[in-house]
Amino acid sequence: MIAWLLFAAALAADPAPAPAPPTTAAVAPIADTDVREFVAISARKVAGRPVGGPIASADKVLLIARDDKGFPVIAISTGFPARQSLPAPPPNIVAVVRLRQRYDTPVPGPSASDLAFVTAHRLPLFVIGEWLRPAPMWEVAWVDDAVRFRSIGDVGEIGPWQD
């Protein structure tokens, strides 16, 4: 929570205008194809880069929004404690990306806190594993009144939904 507040304060001090809100009324619980492909290519470029700051074991978190022309952009990029659940994102965010340094599940994939985030906010979450190259990626979404996830390939190709 403190990380979001610090970042929001930094954004408020920046004179650059914020991206215009999307014209749609609500965020889709499953990411649009252009958002998925943007994350698959752009967010994986962040994998393996160090996180600066006082948190020794931080995950990288990217908040994805749409610019004034409707294209996906990284609106916020920050470090976040690896063992902490993500807070509710600010308005106008269409997806969240969490780059994890290590996996903490018996089989690599989304953690229980990742699934709980999507359950609570009905917002697409992409989890990228930094422990392997090429970095594995999963999309977690609210599908058919349940949280499901699927693997995403190097350029956005999708696997089947899993429970």
Side-chain angles (χ1 to χ4, degrees), residues 19 24 27 32 38 47 50 52 56 59-60 64 70-72 106-107 111 114 118-120 128 130-131 134 137-138 145:
T24 58
V27 175
D32 294 332
F38 175 80
D59 289 341
K60 292 183 247 351
I64 310 299
F71 296 111
V107 176
S111 70
D114 297 330
V118 173
T119 300
I128 299 176
E130 294 188 299
W131 59 82
M137 180 173 147
W138 297 271
D145 295 326

Side-chain angles (χ1 to χ4, degrees), residues 100-111 129-132 136 138:
R100 293 196 172 268
Q101 292 183 4
R102 301 177 191 90
Y103 64 90
D104 56 356
T105 57
V107 176
S111 70
E130 294 188 299
W131 59 82
L132 190 63
W138 297 271

